[in-house]
Amino acid sequence: MHQLIIYGAPGVGKGTQAELIAIKLNLEHISTGAILRKSAEEGNELGLLAKEIMDRGDLVTDDIMNGIVKDSLKKINKDGFILDGYPRTLAQAEALSEIFTELGFKDIKVINLIADENEIITRLLKRGRSDDNKETIANRFKVYVESTSPVKEFFAKQNIIKDINGVGEIEDINKIILEAIK
Ligand code: ADP
């Protein structure tokens, strides 16, 4: 069973690569951003709260995110999963470790997708989601550096994270990822 996490800065291409990997390996693609955006579209309580936070580029609380991910992981009925957009804080990474232990997942692999910040900002501005404006992007990067980078160290200490260059053709990058997680 594949147990994957894709890590990296906002706009580095996590969603695109995770989607391709999920199709090719028959995995559940768990994108916390997509789950929150869907809730926002539906206009439920979580969605309304999340929309405001996302449009500022801030983070939804750890408790909410941990609950969402735990529920999703309990329901896996494909050949595994790829987590995209989570964990985004050290507290989430620690909570996830407990969830993994509880659910018996112990063969975790983490892909660290890397690209230059200028390249990423250009991509995000082209994409034009409601949180892809200059101010929000700047805040998302600040949050990434301050709150999310410790997550990389957390995985590095466990020796389960692999760096992959996120600049190039989508299919080429995808092949390199697939090779790296074999
Ligand atoms: P990107 O990686 O391009 O910034 P995502 O779709 O992963 O976009 O996330 C969009 C927004 O959703 C984030 O800026 C944040 O507000 C919220 N979000 C997504 N995942 C998490 C998470 N694990 N913890 C807290 N907030 C999250």
Side-chain angles (χ1 to χ4, degrees):
M1 184 186 189
H2 290 283
Q3 302 163 16
L4 306 175
I5 298 172
I6 189 156
Y7 172 92
V12 74
K14 298 188 297 289
T16 306
Q17 292 299 333
E19 187 62 43
L20 276 174
I21 293 165
I23 291 168
K24 289 181 184 175
L25 301 180
N26 188 39
L27 310 181
E28 206 76 60
H29 177 194
I30 305 173
S31 160
T32 48
I35 291 170
L36 296 174
R37 281 188 292 278
K38 185 159 171 276
S39 300
E41 256 171 50
E42 288 166 1
N44 59 38
E45 202 183 332
L46 166 69
L48 295 176
L49 169 88
K51 171 101 177 88
E52 219 177 285
I53 297 171
M54 287 191 287
D55 284 346
R56 286 200 308 266
D58 289 331
L59 297 180
V60 174
T61 62
D62 292 332
D63 282 351
I64 291 178
M65 299 316 300
N66 296 337
I68 289 175
V69 169
K70 188 170 182 183
D71 286 347
S72 307
L73 285 173
K74 277 190 195 157
K75 286 189 292 210
I76 304 293
N77 53 16
K78 296 190 175 173
D79 297 333
F81 60 84
I82 180 158
L83 274 170
D84 159 17
Y86 178 97
R88 237 178 172 91
T89 64
L90 192 55
Q92 290 179 12
E94 285 164 351
L96 181 62
S97 282
E98 285 184 22
I99 295 170
F100 282 156
T101 305
E102 201 181 314
L103 300 178
F105 298 141
K106 36 184 174 232
D107 188 22
I108 317 298
K109 289 176 185 157
V110 186
I111 301 145
N112 177 25
L113 207 53
I114 301 169
D116 170 77
E117 186 168 328
N118 290 324
E119 159 90 21
I120 296 178
I121 291 173
T122 310
R123 286 189 199 172
L124 286 173
L125 289 171
K126 268 194 220 148
R127 185 170 69 179
R129 222 165 58 189
S130 74
D131 57 347
D132 289 338
N133 59 75
K134 269 205 170 121
E135 297 72 43
T136 302
I137 290 172
N139 191 41
R140 279 156 66 198
F141 271 92
K142 185 167 166 272
V143 169
Y144 174 69
V145 171
E146 287 175 2
S147 304
T148 307
S149 49
V151 172
K152 191 170 74 186
E153 301 314 315
F154 181 85
F155 291 132
K157 275 190 205 140
Q158 301 168 47
N159 245 316
I160 55 172
I161 187 164
K162 278 199 182 148
D163 292 352
I164 304 278
N165 178 7
V167 184
E169 293 296 326
I170 289 171
E171 265 304 328
D172 294 342
I173 298 167
N174 199 249
K175 282 196 191 103
I176 294 168
I177 295 176
L178 287 170
E179 197 55 43
I181 60 176
K182 259 188 189 158

